Structure formats: C-alpha cells, structure tokens
Amino acid sequence: MSIISNLTTAQIAALSTEAIAGLTTVDMQAFSTAQLSALTTAQSAALTSAQVGALSSTQIAAMETADLAALTTAAIKGIGSAQAPALTTAQVA
C-alpha cells in the first residue's frame, strides 16, 4: 500500500525531486491520472526507468507532453511495449 493515493494534487506538485526519485514502483502504480498530471517537469525529469516502467498505459497517456519531454533518455527506456501504444502523437512529437 502506498501513501501516494492519499495525497492531493497540490501535495504531489510540492514533492521535491529527491522525494520523487525515491518513490518505489508500488508508489508509482498508486498515482491517479490527476496526480500524474500534477507532476512538474522537474519532477518528471527525476523519474527513473523503473518508475516509468511501473506506470500503466492509462497513467502514461495521462502524462502531460512537457513532462514526457522532460524524461531523461534512461527514463524513456522504461516505456514498454504495453505502454507505447497509449502515447498520443502530441506526446511523441
């Protein structure tokens, strides 16, 4: 069980990049689509490939274009074949 599901979008947006980088894959799976949309580009840039890989296709689709663009090359490698079809043309442009 993760405490992430109990946080508001404002609380998510206020998390430090260090806190984001320390989230487990279970924490990542607990994010709602609204919470993922609340991530800042700096927070998204702190995500690891394991964290990105733990996201569902629905969660990946909910990420804002700027947040996906902020992912490091290593983090992008976490996007798997099940998640890739959920990406929109705007997200990959």
Side-chain angles (χ1 to χ4, degrees):
M1 184 155 159
S2 173
I3 63 162
I4 293 296
S5 57
N6 295 325
L7 298 178
T8 65
T9 54
Q11 290 170 318
I12 294 290
L15 291 173
S16 69
T17 54
E18 292 82 13
I20 293 291
L23 295 175
T24 67
T25 55
V26 171
D27 292 329
M28 297 306 297
Q29 292 166 348
F31 271 85
S32 69
T33 54
Q35 288 171 317
L36 276 172
S37 293
L39 288 177
T40 66
T41 53
Q43 290 171 319
S44 294
L47 294 174
T48 67
S49 61
Q51 289 171 320
V52 172
L55 297 173
S56 70
S57 56
T58 302
Q59 290 172 308
I60 288 286
M63 289 187 75
E64 295 176 350
T65 304
D67 292 338
L68 279 170
L71 293 176
T72 64
T73 303
I76 289 171
K77 291 179 182 178
I79 297 174
S81 59
Q83 298 159 313
L87 295 169
T88 66
T89 53
Q91 287 173 315
V92 296

